[in-house]
Amino acid sequence: VGCDRSKNLVDICGAKHFQAFVCDALSVPMRSGSCDACISIAVIHHFSTADRRLATIHELARLLRPGGTALIYVWAMEQEYKNQKSKYLKEKNGSKASEKEINTGTAQRPLTDQVPGSSSQDSAYSDQLINDSKDEGCDARPVGPDSRLPVHTNRTSFQSQDLLVPWHLKGGTKKKEENIDTVLVPADSKESQELSPVFHRYYHVFCEGELEAACRSLDCVRVQKSYYDQGNWCVVLEKL
């Protein structure tokens, strides 16, 4: 059974005869200990505070039976790891090399607009996780409550852990049921100005060791495995 915050995505699953429902990852309406296994792919990096990211992991653990396992994937700050570029970076020079990303400029938004309920305690927790991971070579710093979020340039290395990633709506004839996705168009074309409204999605990209440190802070789970996979940090947990 699957769940997602997006009703449109859940409807697509239903149309394909999969079981899915709409919910928030911070509060999943399922009985505790009811799952043998859970997966969380590309979800937790959208939560804007360390407390919420940790609460999401705790909620995932709540769903597991003792001995059950969970797999978590989050976007990595390190898109180049052990001298190897991730697929995300490589695609910039792939089959679409002749096309250019829409230039999103240097627009910025206040972090306070993106992080309701942020606190000094949360900032301290985030600082601690970053300090724990600095030994692994990540020198990024968390964005403070009075800072502004940078807008990321697609298919490039991350310059900040907290950022907005531009998503471009596909052409003007888009149907209601189609997904919002990134789109590549010539930067100087009329289409780039008229047919591609830009949506900004918040991301917190994880430094090496940060996800594992958050998981290890919970006494209800054990980290079985932690690894890097194509621009993602990944952890396998076991419910105690």
Side-chain angles (χ1 to χ4, degrees), residues 117-133:
S118 60
S119 66
S120 58
Q121 178 183 3
D122 179 70
S123 297
Y125 177 73
S126 180
D127 288 342
Q128 181 60 47
L129 289 180
I130 299 304
N131 290 335
D132 290 344
S133 62

Side-chain angles (χ1 to χ4, degrees), residues 16 55 61 80 139 141 209 239:
K16 296 182 177 181
E80 187 167 344
D139 57 2
R141 290 173 294 177
K239 177 70 171 289

Side-chain angles (χ1 to χ4, degrees), residues 48-144:
S48 57
T49 69
D51 280 346
R52 289 181 178 182
R53 293 188 286 271
L54 185 61
T56 309
I57 299 170
H58 192 273
E59 179 70 353
L60 198 66
R62 181 189 66 81
L63 299 172
L64 292 171
R65 63 165 175 78
T69 57
L71 172 65
I72 301 172
Y73 266 61
V74 295
W75 218 349
M77 178 78 179
E78 301 86 350
Q79 289 297 305
E80 187 167 344
Y81 186 67
K82 294 184 177 179
N83 298 321
Q84 293 291 323
K85 289 185 177 180
S86 68
K87 183 180 178 182
Y88 175 72
L89 293 184
K90 287 179 179 178
E91 284 182 356
K92 184 177 180 68
N93 298 317
S95 59
K96 297 179 180 179
S98 61
E99 297 174 306
K100 296 180 181 179
E101 292 281 357
I102 296 174
N103 181 10
T104 58
T106 57
Q108 294 181 328
R109 296 185 179 183
L111 182 65
T112 49
D113 290 347
Q114 300 293 323
V115 190
S118 60
S119 66
S120 58
Q121 178 183 3
D122 179 70
S123 297
Y125 177 73
S126 180
D127 288 342
Q128 181 60 47
L129 289 180
I130 299 304
N131 290 335
D132 290 344
S133 62
K134 273 186 177 179
D135 291 340
E136 304 297 334
C138 181
D139 57 2
R141 290 173 294 177
V143 176

